[in-house]
Amino acid sequence: MTHFGAVVRNRRERMHLEDRRFSLRQVAQRVGIEPAYLSKIERGDVAPPSEATTIRLARELGEDPDVFLAMAGKVSSDLQEIVRKRPRLFADLIRQLKAAPDDAILRVVREVRDGDW
Amino acid sequence: MTHFGAVVRNRRERMHLEDRRFSLRQVAQRVGIEPAYLSKIERGDVAPPSEATTIRLARELGEDPDVFLAMAGKVSSDLQEIVRKRPRLFADLIRQLKAAPDDAILRVVREVRDGDW
DNA sequence: CCGAGTGTGTACTAAATAGGACACATGACA
DNA sequence: TGTCATGTGTCCTATTTAGTACACACTCGG
């Protein structure tokens, strides 16, 4: 189980090769946290940061915030809010889809997107 | 915005009319928390309890745990886990369905349940 | 009258969350 | 050789979460 920080470090170092603005310190500064803290995050020395910080980090590294959040063990609060507004419906739907293959879910997504409702 | 505690109190008092085992103290005991704490919860004097406690409370009162959790401002951790395993897929799906009418979602649920995949 | 049961007020707390401050060693490079 | 910039180690802290403990006042049946 390669942890959150490792992925961040990987991603950041890859960017750093092409662009020296991606040093730990500079990224930390742009993200708005202390370098020491980012260092600890990347080494898994501390738990993944808050939702807000995780999202800023994802943006900075050009990654999908939802994916980064997932790796940080969280689910975006805007998704949670959607679910909370109609708990029964969404709980059923999500549990229903738990075992469904990716392409089945994708089909549903598309179907809904093009939906006629 | 009628808060979580108010719903609990309502529900519990309704049960209490028919069954004297639903006093605040006895419910608290069965749920495994201090009476004083349940009292504060019901009056909205403190934030809603943890996920685990909320679920036990829902069960005790014969309510849907997902609904109680929603009122407590939370989303069941088992649902979160499902989403976290395929963040992009589920994030898309849920955001897609944000504005969909109930019956459209229901149709999707059924469709998936009877699905042929 | 009293004892059991009821709800509540006050005070306290252990653990988790989400970091900040600052000093330090290292290496690059001008 | 000095001076940056880099990553990291150590220590500290405010806030939130999720409750417990205990005493108190009221009421109702026997």
Side-chain angles (χ1 to χ4, degrees), chain B residues 10-86:
Chain B
N10 241 286
R11 179 67 178 166
R12 184 182 59 76
E13 286 187 335
R14 211 182 289 289
M15 315 243 85
H16 199 189
L17 294 180
E18 315 259 286
D19 185 340
R20 68 178 185 289
R21 294 174 52 260
F22 284 83
S23 76
L24 183 149
R25 284 179 110 97
Q26 294 195 41
V27 168
Q29 195 193 340
R30 286 195 298 277
V31 167
I33 58 180
E34 291 293 308
Y37 185 41
L38 179 53
S39 170
K40 280 175 263 184
I41 290 170
E42 291 192 352
R43 285 169 299 130
D45 198 15
V46 297
S50 69
E51 175 176 348
T53 298
T54 301
I55 290 174
R56 290 199 308 277
L57 202 44
R59 296 239 154 87
E60 181 62 33
L61 300 179
E63 293 281 331
D64 183 331
D66 289 307
V67 171
F68 257 42
L69 283 171
M71 288 187 318
K74 312 184 193 238
V75 171
S76 164
S77 56
D78 80 286
L79 292 180
Q80 297 201 37
E81 207 189 314
I82 295 174
V83 172
R84 283 200 316 264
K85 284 192 180 146
R86 290 183 281 182

Side-chain angles (χ1 to χ4, degrees), chain A residues 9 23-25 36 39-40 43:
Chain A
R9 170 145 298 188
S23 76
L24 183 148
R25 284 179 111 95
S39 171
K40 280 175 260 182
R43 286 169 300 130

Side-chain angles (χ1 to χ4, degrees), chain A residues 57-94:
Chain A
L57 202 44
R59 296 241 155 85
E60 181 61 32
L61 299 179
E63 293 282 330
D64 184 330
D66 289 308
V67 171
F68 256 42
L69 283 172
M71 289 188 317
K74 313 186 191 234
V75 170
S76 164
S77 56
D78 80 287
L79 291 180
Q80 297 201 37
E81 206 190 316
I82 295 173
V83 172
R84 284 201 315 264
K85 284 193 180 145
R86 290 184 281 181
R88 261 174 303 224
L89 243 33
F90 277 101
D92 280 1
L93 176 63
I94 294 169

